[in-house]
Amino acid sequence: MTVFDFVKGVFQKDKSIFKLSNSSKINDRWRGKSFNQLAREEQKRIRSTTIHAIIFEQKHPYNSDTSLYQVFERINTGGRTLMPQEIRNCVYHNNVNQLLIDLNKLPKWRSLYGSLEFEPRMKDMELILRFFTLKSDKVKNDDTMQISLKKELNLYMGETTNNYSECIEKSRLSFRDVIEFIYSHFGENAFHNLNSKGEEFVPRFHPTIFDAIAIASANALEKGIVKGLNVDELLDKRLKLLKDETFKKYISERTTRIEHINGRINLASQYLYGVSYV
């Protein structure tokens, strides 16, 4: 579309005049000129030049763009290699991506994540996507031994439903309520692990602890069993959870095995709220 805009003379986005920059990288014959300021022969050459394009069409699944991620990933070899969420941000221009962008700005999420600055490689956004993906019935009820997390995150980004707008708004409220609850009941180190001696919290966000506590808390909120919970008791229960040997295994070994995903969420749910997740 850049060439199209140049020939038309204006940018489609804001209707400003499209002129080439004054950069020394551009030949001084064309530097700072608009299309109409080029010589007639130069205009004719541009208009008659063929720009080749390859159109990719995904036939299965027909309502998803997951193949675009694979194509983008394979051609992404020059310059700085993009991280998975950066690719998703390029490929999936939909309400799910906008939802992640919006939720990533929540002040209490920024505090829990441990940085007020947005992660330049979008790892913070990917964690929010993890929350929705691992919480979904599709993953919860998966009968395979292990999932490909990258594939499942892609599928969630590209999925569509008949009640799409309602689904997006429900997801927005769910994540916001979970973050509000966790921040007020567990504090800024809610998703941190204990050190090797089990005496102090390490100053680092732990993704699989986030999976476990956030999804377990969402489950408890949905069941309406969080009213009147004692904060001190919850903090004590979290310490016991983090010291549980099985929980330690589930958050550190083969973390994408279904048994370990559901296992760590279930243990968090039982320790913290006294209910089962699975």
Side-chain angles (χ1 to χ4, degrees):
M1 297 305 293
T2 304
V3 176
F4 178 83
D5 287 355
F6 180 62
V7 173
K8 287 293 184 181
V10 295
F11 288 101
Q12 290 187 66
K13 185 176 181 180
D14 59 7
K15 304 304 179 184
S16 61
I17 301 299
F18 192 153
K19 290 186 177 182
L20 299 177
S21 73
N22 285 310
S23 170
S24 59
K25 295 180 181 180
I26 298 177
N27 190 295
D28 56 8
R29 291 168 53 197
W30 308 305
R31 197 177 299 167
K33 292 184 177 180
S34 67
F35 180 78
N36 289 333
Q37 292 174 315
L38 299 180
R40 186 176 298 275
E41 275 300 314
E42 292 171 335
Q43 293 183 21
K44 183 178 180 181
R45 184 180 301 175
I46 292 174
R47 289 184 182 279
S48 62
T49 298
T50 300
I51 299 177
H52 296 281
I54 300 175
I55 299 175
F56 292 93
E57 179 182 5
Q58 179 163 322
K59 294 187 177 181
H60 180 78
Y62 72 93
N63 63 341
S64 174
D65 292 327
T66 50
S67 62
L68 291 180
Y69 181 96
Q70 297 176 41
V71 172
F72 202 105
E73 186 177 40
R74 293 188 182 190
I75 63 176
N76 175 40
T77 56
R80 186 178 75 167
T81 301
L82 298 179
M83 298 294 285
Q85 192 60 33
E86 291 179 291
I87 297 177
R88 295 184 190 103
N89 186 56
C90 294
V91 172
Y92 300 109
H93 296 283
N94 57 23
N95 288 340
V96 176
N97 193 55
Q98 187 58 52
L99 173 68
L100 299 180
I101 294 172
D102 293 343
L103 294 177
N104 199 36
K105 298 175 183 177
L106 292 175
K108 290 181 180 177
W109 162 247
R110 301 308 317 167
S111 295
L112 289 168
Y113 181 69
S115 173
L116 298 180
E117 300 295 325
F118 298 129
E119 178 67 53
R121 307 307 300 270
M122 298 187 173
K123 293 179 181 178
D124 42 6
M125 279 177 56
E126 185 174 70
L127 286 164
I128 301 173
L129 179 59
R130 276 175 64 119
F131 168 81
F132 291 124
T133 303
L134 298 186
K135 181 177 176 291
S136 68
D137 289 337
K138 182 178 182 298
V139 172
K140 181 179 180 180
N141 301 320
D142 197 306
D143 57 3
T144 61
M145 181 176 294
Q146 184 161 329
I147 64 168
S148 164
L149 184 59
K150 182 165 67 173
K151 176 183 177 182
E152 293 300 332
L153 295 179
N154 292 346
L155 288 172
Y156 192 93
M157 283 289 290
E159 73 177 5
T160 56
T161 60
N162 292 329
N163 58 337
Y164 199 62
S165 296
E166 181 181 343
C167 180
I168 289 292
E169 190 56 29
K170 183 178 179 181
S171 297
R172 185 188 306 277
L173 294 175
S174 173
F175 187 79
R176 186 201 65 188
D177 290 348
V178 166
I179 293 304
E180 291 276 350
F181 175 83
I182 290 175
Y183 185 86
S184 62
H185 287 75
F186 296 106
E188 293 184 351
N189 64 1
F191 306 130
H192 294 205
N193 203 359
L194 294 171
N195 61 17
S196 58
K197 295 181 180 180
E199 298 173 351
E200 298 179 351
F201 286 101
V202 296
R204 183 172 63 85
F205 185 102
H206 200 294
T208 49
I209 291 178
F210 164 67
D211 296 341
I213 293 180
I215 297 175
S217 298
N219 182 52
L221 283 166
E222 290 169 4
K223 292 182 176 180
I225 59 174
V226 298
K227 292 182 179 179
L229 290 176
N230 183 285
V231 174
D232 291 334
E233 289 182 2
L234 271 180
L235 293 174
D236 183 58
K237 290 176 180 178
R238 180 172 61 125
L239 287 176
K240 291 178 180 178
L241 170 68
L242 296 176
K243 293 177 180 180
D244 184 286
E245 293 301 324
T246 304
F247 185 75
K248 290 181 182 179
K249 174 183 176 182
Y250 286 165
I251 64 172
S252 60
E253 300 176 13
R254 300 178 182 178
T255 56
T256 56
R257 290 190 66 171
I258 292 298
E259 177 189 355
H260 291 199
I261 293 172
N262 289 334
R264 62 179 177 261
I265 298 171
N266 192 49
L267 281 173
S269 187
Q270 290 177 340
Y271 266 99
L272 300 176
Y273 308 112
V275 295
S276 294
Y277 176 70
V278 292

